[in-house]
Amino acid sequence: MSKARGPPAAHSGRKGSGRRRRSRPSVSALPVLKSLFAPHGPICEDRKDLTRRQALTRRLTAGDGCWEKIVFSNFREARQNATPGSPRPERSPSAVGRWDRGGRCVSESQRPSVAEHVPGRQRLSLTRVFLACLLASLVTTAIGVLTLSLVYIYNPQPHSEPKLPAPTTPMLQKAVDPKFQFLNHLPKSKVFEFPGGAIQWARYRNNVNEYLSAEEEAFGSSLNSQRSQMTLGTLRIKSNGLRAPHWHFNANEHGYLAQGTAWIGVVDHGHVVTTYNVTAGQVIFFPKNTLHWIKNVGNEDCFFLLFFSTHDELQTLDVDDVFFSTPEDIAARSLKPEGGINFIRTFQKQKEDQGVNLPPNLAELVMNASYAQSPDSLVWRYFYDLKGSKEYRFPGGIIQLAQYWKNGSQLSNNEKIFSEFLNQHQNALTLSTLRIYTNGLRQPHFHFNANEMGYVISGCGKVGIINTQGITEFNIRIGDVIFFPIGTQHYVKSTCDEDLLFILAFSTGDQLQTLDMDDYFQATADHVLAQLFFKKQSEFKKIPKFQDDQAINLP
């Protein structure tokens, strides 16, 4: 009996591909297959019978229809022996029928889904297993949580104080006397020590943890919140010490030398170098982003009071820091020294900050120092002889000003240079000295166009500030810094046996505009005052009008 086989396997079009196409059933094999898979036979009885069977199936599609190859454990032998009309072979438990109840071949779109091939009981068993596992997980979790809770309840921890992290919130959360919005005890602030001197600051800080006290923070925050354009620092330089060449990114700098003798150097944007000497009572000025240095050339310490036109943190860059931050090859190509990069490599960065510099072997390093003085036409752009300027005398004290004057007819030629140069720079400051004799009073007044900051050089006194919150009064002494926001009425009284001496700075590069209490009372119509104060108009004739300015008066 001939075996029902398909035609030989056809090769792909590529030579030597080794791949074989699927065989198609021959015409002689169709009767055998039909007899094997007849719809009335035991192989494909109904849908239930089909879905109970598990088998590996592969669909083969012919040009004129489709047929299903059903895998029996003995299928090869059954196919070889089968003939039309012969008894159908017993099927294997792994066989699966792929014919519908009408004996038709099922198309791709008509074929049952994979889920339909999974026996119903098996699907039910899997669902039960899943639900059982889920329930077991929930029960186990609940038992674990309950056990931990019981352990914690019946085994309490010792009642020790918890370790709290370091406070990062501003110190101003604690109660602070309102006066510290206007007062800073500078001697209590941090001292920044250098080999050649020291610096202290009354300023705003971005990091609140850098304040040493809540009172110091209150003052710094007040400067910043009022947009004061003011920062104050004290600079002490030892004999032969050097404030390293540097510049400030965000502020002009004004300085008052309270003690000592110094030599100043300034390099402007035109590469013009100006050098000059200053003594106590004189003023220096460095525009923003202008390189400058200060060297103590006397035998005693120099003590500067420095004011900067910023209410933010001051940004400064020193020349030595810039040099050591520059790559060696870049520095060598820029400076072109003998020996090139090898010479650059001979420089050694010091462990200590050299902001104020004083090498221990200075005598070996410097053999011949020259402290030249530039022409006055250059010097007076950065210098003002405040102690030698005009004194504005009052019954109770004296005022001197280093400022811009709209009418400079009373100024000397050198003073005019300073006045005009100051006015050319945005956010420049005005400096002044205020001397109040014992028991003298700088009467209540306010400034139209400037905030005011002051440092007590000598004496002691009492300050009063009147704003929308009422009046704040406090005592001041040497080293204290005061701040009066623009438009705030304030007064200062000398309470010591010696004169009270201030160095003051105002946040304007224009001429300062001030109004005193006696001036605005005299300027207001007496009938307006009578109506305002519920007092007869004639009573205001008792307020005298003086010929002499009473800005600083005595009883």
Side-chain angles (χ1 to χ4, degrees), residues 80-114:
Q80 291 175 352
N81 299 327
T83 57
S86 62
R88 290 185 174 83
E90 293 297 330
R91 59 187 174 184
S92 164
S94 63
V96 177
R98 293 298 182 187
W99 303 92
D100 63 7
R101 292 181 178 179
R104 292 168 298 182
C105 177
V106 181
S107 66
E108 186 67 24
S109 61
Q110 295 172 329
R111 291 179 60 181
S113 64
V114 175

Side-chain angles (χ1 to χ4, degrees), residues 119-196:
R121 291 182 180 178
Q122 186 176 2
R123 290 200 304 270
L124 183 59
S125 298
L126 291 175
T127 303
R128 289 177 177 175
V129 170
F130 172 78
L131 292 176
C133 292
L134 179 61
L135 180 61
S137 299
L138 294 175
V139 171
T140 303
T141 303
I143 292 174
V145 172
L146 180 61
T147 302
L148 291 175
S149 301
L150 292 175
V151 169
Y152 182 82
I153 291 173
Y154 290 102
N155 293 277
Q157 299 297 319
H159 295 283
S160 59
E161 291 296 328
K163 294 183 178 180
L164 299 177
T168 56
T169 54
M171 297 178 183
L172 285 177
Q173 288 186 351
K174 60 181 287 188
V176 177
D177 192 321
K179 71 180 182 182
F180 289 106
Q181 299 175 61
F182 315 107
L183 172 66
N184 179 286
H185 294 309
L186 189 58
K188 295 183 179 180
S189 67
K190 181 178 178 180
V191 179
F192 294 86
E193 297 281 357
F194 302 90

Side-chain angles (χ1 to χ4, degrees), residues 64-86:
D64 56 348
C66 66
W67 62 286
E68 296 282 346
K69 181 178 181 182
I70 303 176
V71 181
F72 296 93
S73 59
N74 58 350
F75 179 74
R76 182 178 298 277
E77 181 181 354
R79 190 176 62 175
Q80 291 175 352
N81 299 327
T83 57
S86 62

Side-chain angles (χ1 to χ4, degrees), residues 36-54:
L36 287 173
F37 307 119
H40 53 76
I43 294 181
C44 296
E45 294 178 354
D46 52 77
R47 179 64 61 189
K48 287 184 178 181
D49 188 43
L50 290 174
T51 57
R52 291 194 196 99
R53 306 298 185 265
Q54 297 181 8

Side-chain angles (χ1 to χ4, degrees), residues 264-324:
I264 310 294
V266 184
V267 182
D268 67 14
H269 62 277
H271 305 170
V272 177
V273 180
T274 302
T275 58
Y276 56 95
N277 293 277
V278 294
T279 57
Q282 295 178 329
V283 167
I284 56 178
F285 170 59
F286 308 125
K288 179 171 62 177
N289 288 321
T290 299
L291 179 71
H292 57 279
W293 67 80
I294 304 173
K295 181 175 174 61
N296 184 346
V297 294
N299 295 323
E300 62 177 342
D301 289 355
C302 281
F303 186 67
F304 282 92
L305 299 167
L306 304 175
F307 297 89
F308 302 86
S309 61
T310 181
H311 48 259
D312 293 321
E313 237 181 48
L314 187 64
Q315 299 177 17
T316 303
L317 202 56
D318 292 355
V319 167
D320 60 329
D321 292 329
V322 173
F323 178 82
F324 288 111

Side-chain angles (χ1 to χ4, degrees), residues 335-509:
L335 301 178
K336 300 184 183 301
E338 293 183 12
I341 195 171
N342 292 327
F343 176 78
I344 299 298
R345 289 171 178 167
T346 62
F347 288 79
Q348 298 295 322
K349 185 175 178 62
Q350 303 299 310
K351 293 182 179 180
E352 291 184 280
D353 191 332
Q354 298 297 307
V356 187
N357 161 281
L358 183 58
N361 60 337
L362 181 61
E364 300 175 6
L365 301 174
V366 179
M367 302 297 180
N368 183 21
S370 174
Y371 306 114
Q373 179 90 1
S374 298
D376 286 351
S377 58
L378 295 177
V379 170
W380 278 78
R381 296 187 302 171
Y382 311 107
F383 165 85
Y384 191 82
D385 185 14
L386 185 59
K387 67 179 180 181
S389 66
K390 180 179 179 179
E391 293 182 345
Y392 294 86
R393 291 187 171 271
F394 304 90
I398 301 172
I399 294 177
Q400 290 178 287
L401 291 162
Q403 69 167 7
Y404 165 72
W405 297 91
K406 291 183 179 179
N407 181 4
S409 59
Q410 296 183 354
L411 300 178
S412 68
N413 291 332
N414 286 337
E415 289 174 335
K416 288 180 181 178
I417 294 173
F418 180 83
S419 174
E420 295 171 0
F421 188 72
L422 195 67
N423 189 246
Q424 294 173 11
H425 293 83
Q426 187 178 10
N427 298 327
L429 303 178
T430 291
L431 262 59
S432 167
T433 54
L434 168 64
R435 183 181 296 275
I436 305 177
Y437 303 147
T438 301
N439 208 31
L441 172 69
R442 175 64 180 100
Q443 69 162 286
H445 64 283
F446 65 91
H447 308 291
F448 290 83
N449 61 336
N451 298 292
E452 178 181 354
M453 180 179 280
Y455 178 91
V456 181
I457 298 175
S458 64
C460 60
K462 186 174 184 177
V463 171
I465 300 171
I466 302 171
N467 57 17
T468 55
Q469 283 73 45
I471 184 170
T472 302
E473 289 188 312
F474 51 86
N475 296 318
I476 55 174
R477 56 186 182 272
I478 295 175
D480 283 346
V481 177
I482 54 175
F483 168 62
F484 305 129
I486 185 172
T488 300
Q489 180 163 287
H490 53 281
Y491 57 87
V492 183
K493 182 181 178 181
S494 175
T495 58
C496 289
D497 293 336
E498 62 177 328
D499 293 351
L500 176 59
L501 178 61
F502 285 97
I503 176 67
L504 303 174
F506 303 88
S507 61
T508 180

